[in-house]
């Protein structure tokens, strides 16, 4: 089968060169309709053209760069936009497109899946504590792509969707903007081999505090390991972007993250540490795993920007005691995170002191050398907006890849991006006025509101059917 449910690439045949050639996709509309109308198969199966089933399959080679470098923000000031917004919730404030990055928030959400190999690893483990520590590493890795990503993703339009199928990682994902006020994005990822499901909804509350902007990602993440009949839930940490007005932008994550295994009663409590007065805590994450009897079973430590380790509690405690005796924990004269003008980013060495006897759980994937010129994107993020020739025939018409304002920004045309953004927002407002006139309420296409069977809280649940490829009732939002 091809590399994704909408892939138009054919792997090279045995004995040919390593180059992968695009397939000229000339199927008639009748053939496409026939393919999409086939009965829905099992989760791991795929409905694919016969010519794509070739020997010696290789996965698609994704793009390694964006079409254009990052647009300069040197001639723009955010103060003119934000000076009247101190202490306010920013979801209703229109921001200049120059402060964005060329991705929708739905695409940004899919970056949770960059380290899906950790979920596969957890599925393969027989011990629940071992699984919990790998799930904890996955929860940390899910926010790692935010490091140095100070551009704002585009607000999704109501009804906007984004799908991502990665056969090399064994999953597919669908997300939808299910509410505009408040802005809520729902997502659902599933293993192609029915090993796991990962889903949730996010309501990003943004507040401006003068020199900084704080983001509270309200919403619960749920990971189901089907083989082990286990369900894990957690919420993401707070995020703060410093120096919105003056100085170099930098961000930190902070707050407690509690991961609960609802099947065994095991719990992992992670503390994303704030910068602190001398900056020595910046990016650090520490916590422990407790079993259902509240016995400490593992200590988890590291940095969300670098790596995470686990170690036996006794070993950890002994190391910390010896460290204090040797003066290794003494405060060094570093710059403070507080200041009258700008919150200078502390000069913190990006390394983790490894405690002897520790096991590595996760290490961040190095970013490409040209990342700084590409909005500080990871290699994974670089691929999210690529659009293969002819793919629009198979994608839902609401997919983020088809948004003209994001596409224009990715291509380096800031003026066209601004005009398209204004046009799309006005079109959205006009549609809302029409619904109000007809007393019609918006109904999401792929998700519905319901109670989580695990927490009892209200959530947005996947209704199913997206990958049946019947998009006749999708709204015209672009």
């Amino acid at each position: 089968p091809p590399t994704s449910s909408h892939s138009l690439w054919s792997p090279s045949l045995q004995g040919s060169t390593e180059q992968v050639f695009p397939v000229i996709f000339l199927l008639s509309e009748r053939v496409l309709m026939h393919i999409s109308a086939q009965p829905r198969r099992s989760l791991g199966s795929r409905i694919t053209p016969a010519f794509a089933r070739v020997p010696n399959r290789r996965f698609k080679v994704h793009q390694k760069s964006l079409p254009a470098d990052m647009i300069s923000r040197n001639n723009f000031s955010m103060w003119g936009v934000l000076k009247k917004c101190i202490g306010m919730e920013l979801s209703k404030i229109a921001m200049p497109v120059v402060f964005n990055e060329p991705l929708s928030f739905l695409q940004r959400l899919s970056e949770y899946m960059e380290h899906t190999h950790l979920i596969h690893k957890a599925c393969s483990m027989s011990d629940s504590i071992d699984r919990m520590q790998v799930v904890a590493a996955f929860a940390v890795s899910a926010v790692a792509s935010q490091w140095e990503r100070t551009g704002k993703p585009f607000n999704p339009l109501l009804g906007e969707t984004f799908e991502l199928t990665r056969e090399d990682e064994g999953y597919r994902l669908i997300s939808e903007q299910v509410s505009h006020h408040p802005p809520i994005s729902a997502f659902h990822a599933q293993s192609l081999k029915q090993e796991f499901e990962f889903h949730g909804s996010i309501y990003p509350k943004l507040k401006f505090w003068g020199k900084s902007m704080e983001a509270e990602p309200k919403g619960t993440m749920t990971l189901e390991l089907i083989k082990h009949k286990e369900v894990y839930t957690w919420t993401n940490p707070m995020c703060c972007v410093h120096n919105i007005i003056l100085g170099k932008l930098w961000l930190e994550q902070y707050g407690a993250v509690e991961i609960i295994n609802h099947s065994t009663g095991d719990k992992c409590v992670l503390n994303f540490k704030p910068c602190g007065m001398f900056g020595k805590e910046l990016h650090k994450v520490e916590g422990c795993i407790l079993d259902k009897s509240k016995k400490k079973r593992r200590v988890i430590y590291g940095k969300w920007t670098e790596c995470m380790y686990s170690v036996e509690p006794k070993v950890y405690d002994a190391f910390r005691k010896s460290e204090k005796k040797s003066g290794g924990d003494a405060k060094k004269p570093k710059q403070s995170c507080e200041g009258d003008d700008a919150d200078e980013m502390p000069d913190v060495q990006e390394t983790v002191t490894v405690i002897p006897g520790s096991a590595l759980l996760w290490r961040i994937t190095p970013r490409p050398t040209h990342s700084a010129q590409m909005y500080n994107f990871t290699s994974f993020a670089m691929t999210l907006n690529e659009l293969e020739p002819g793919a629009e025939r198979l994608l839902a018409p609401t997919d983020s890849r088809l948004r003209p304002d994001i596409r224009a920004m990715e291509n380096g045309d800031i003026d066209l991006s601004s005009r398209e953004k204004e046009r799309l927002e006005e079109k959205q407002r006009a549609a809302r006025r029409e619904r109000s006139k007809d007393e019609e309420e918006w109904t999401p296409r792929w998700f519905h509101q319901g109670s989580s069977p695990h927490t009892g809280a209200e959530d947005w649940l996947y209704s199913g059917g997206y990958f049946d490829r019947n998009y006749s009732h999708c709204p015209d939002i672009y």
Side-chain angles (χ1 to χ4, degrees):
T3 61
S4 73
S5 54
H6 56 262
S7 178
L8 309 181
W9 293 79
S10 174
S12 54
L13 300 176
Q14 282 184 326
S16 66
T17 64
E18 290 296 315
Q19 187 176 4
V20 179
F21 297 92
V23 175
I24 303 176
F25 206 78
L26 297 176
L27 295 178
S28 67
E29 289 298 321
R30 180 176 298 179
V31 173
L32 285 172
M33 289 173 64
H34 172 72
I35 291 172
S36 63
Q38 295 300 307
R40 192 178 187 187
R41 302 187 186 182
S42 63
L43 195 62
S45 66
R46 214 67 80 247
I47 302 169
T48 57
F51 64 77
R53 298 188 179 95
V54 294
N56 195 25
R57 181 186 68 187
R58 292 186 179 89
F59 295 115
K60 179 188 180 303
V61 177
H62 293 279
Q63 67 181 19
K64 294 179 169 38
S65 182
L66 300 180
D69 285 356
M70 175 179 171
I71 295 170
S72 174
R73 298 168 181 157
N74 294 336
N75 298 325
F76 297 88
S77 171
M78 195 175 280
W79 178 240
V81 179
L82 296 178
K83 59 185 178 182
K84 297 180 181 180
C85 304
I86 296 177
M88 293 176 60
E89 208 278 310
L90 297 180
S91 64
K92 297 183 180 181
I93 306 299
M95 304 289 286
V97 73
V98 71
F99 296 110
N100 285 18
E101 62 177 22
L103 288 177
S104 166
F105 183 72
L106 295 181
Q107 293 168 305
R108 188 82 174 255
L109 267 182
S110 70
E111 293 184 58
Y112 287 159
M113 305 302 293
E114 180 173 357
H115 299 280
T116 304
H117 66 275
L118 292 171
I119 303 181
H120 292 301
K121 185 176 180 180
C123 289
S124 69
M125 292 177 159
S126 58
D127 182 74
S128 65
I129 299 299
D130 290 340
R131 290 194 294 274
M132 173 61 88
Q133 62 184 9
V134 175
V135 170
F138 174 74
V140 174
S141 77
V143 301
S145 68
Q146 296 185 35
W147 180 40
E148 297 188 332
R149 294 275 291 281
T150 53
K152 175 184 173 294
F154 281 73
N155 292 335
L157 300 168
L158 186 61
E160 182 178 333
T161 61
F162 180 69
E163 71 163 90
L164 182 65
T165 300
R166 292 292 296 266
E167 288 202 354
D168 53 340
E169 290 288 341
Y171 70 85
R172 63 187 184 185
L173 172 145
I174 174 61
S175 57
E176 180 181 13
Q177 190 70 4
V178 295
S179 173
H180 186 59
H181 290 306
I184 301 176
S185 307
F187 73 93
H188 187 276
Q190 52 191 192
S191 163
L192 298 179
K193 295 182 179 179
Q194 304 186 45
E195 294 175 330
F196 70 84
E197 292 189 2
F198 178 50
H199 50 93
S201 58
I202 295 290
Y203 166 22
K205 293 192 69 173
L206 304 177
K207 281 193 176 180
F208 176 54
W209 296 112
K211 293 188 296 183
S212 62
M213 185 181 296
E214 186 178 65
E216 179 185 3
K218 300 186 69 173
T220 300
M221 308 291 102
T222 301
L223 174 63
E224 302 181 37
L225 303 185
I226 297 172
K227 172 185 173 182
H228 299 287
K229 299 180 180 179
E230 288 182 340
V231 176
Y232 301 80
T233 62
W234 67 90
T235 57
N236 288 320
M238 300 281 285
C239 178
C240 184
V241 181
H242 294 267
N243 297 338
I244 294 296
I245 307 303
L246 177 68
K248 181 181 178 181
L249 290 171
W250 62 279
L251 63 84
E252 61 176 328
Q253 309 258 11
Y254 50 84
V257 172
E258 185 177 81
I259 306 170
I260 300 174
N261 184 332
H262 293 267
S263 305
T264 66
D266 300 334
K267 181 186 298 186
C268 178
V269 181
L270 297 174
N271 181 20
F272 284 70
K273 298 193 174 185
C275 168
M277 181 59 73
F278 295 94
K280 70 188 188 71
E281 302 295 326
L282 184 64
H283 301 157
K284 283 188 177 180
V285 182
E286 289 187 359
C288 62
I289 296 175
L290 306 172
D291 61 22
K292 62 182 179 181
S293 63
K294 297 185 179 180
K295 179 182 178 181
K296 189 183 291 187
R297 300 292 299 275
R298 296 281 197 287
V299 172
I300 309 287
Y301 69 95
K303 291 185 177 180
W304 62 266
T305 55
E306 188 177 346
C307 55
M308 294 299 295
Y309 289 87
S310 77
V311 69
E312 293 289 339
K314 290 181 180 179
V315 176
Y316 178 86
D317 293 340
F319 181 83
R320 290 303 182 211
K321 286 180 182 178
S322 65
E323 190 179 47
K324 287 182 180 179
K325 286 181 180 179
S326 63
D329 201 40
K331 291 181 179 178
K332 298 179 182 179
K334 295 178 180 176
Q335 293 172 301
S336 167
C337 289
E338 307 299 326
D340 295 329
D341 298 319
D343 293 339
E344 295 298 328
M345 182 173 178
D347 184 18
V348 179
Q349 188 177 8
E350 282 300 319
T351 55
V352 172
T353 301
V354 181
I355 300 171
S358 297
L360 177 67
L361 299 177
W362 161 78
R363 187 179 297 282
I364 197 169
T365 303
R367 296 192 179 181
T369 54
H370 58 297
S371 176
Q373 290 77 49
M374 301 284 165
Y375 303 89
N376 288 312
F377 278 8
T378 63
S379 296
F380 185 85
M382 296 271 192
T383 70
L384 294 177
N385 207 45
E386 66 178 329
L387 188 64
E388 301 170 41
E392 61 270 19
R393 294 187 178 188
L394 295 179
L395 289 171
T398 50
D399 195 273
S400 301
R401 296 174 183 86
L402 305 178
R403 275 188 67 159
D405 52 349
I406 295 178
R407 184 64 59 188
M409 185 177 194
E410 187 183 61
N411 291 330
D413 193 334
I414 187 67
D415 293 331
L416 177 59
S417 180
S418 296
R419 291 196 301 271
E420 286 295 328
K421 179 173 178 287
E422 291 175 8
R423 181 184 67 81
L424 294 175
E425 289 172 346
E426 177 53 38
K427 183 172 183 175
Q428 182 171 240
R429 286 190 287 268
R432 185 168 62 247
R433 288 193 295 268
E434 285 298 316
R435 289 195 302 273
S436 178
K437 187 188 304 181
D438 298 336
E439 298 184 350
E440 178 185 347
E441 291 190 4
W442 173 263
T443 302
R445 181 72 175 82
W446 308 111
F447 291 81
H448 64 275
Q449 267 189 308
S451 298
S452 166
H454 315 296
T455 65
E458 281 293 305
D459 203 352
W460 287 90
L461 309 175
Y462 180 48
S463 302
Y466 176 87
F467 292 98
D468 291 344
R469 302 288 175 196
N470 179 8
Y471 306 134
S472 57
H473 299 294
C474 287
D476 175 15
I477 60 174
Y478 300 147

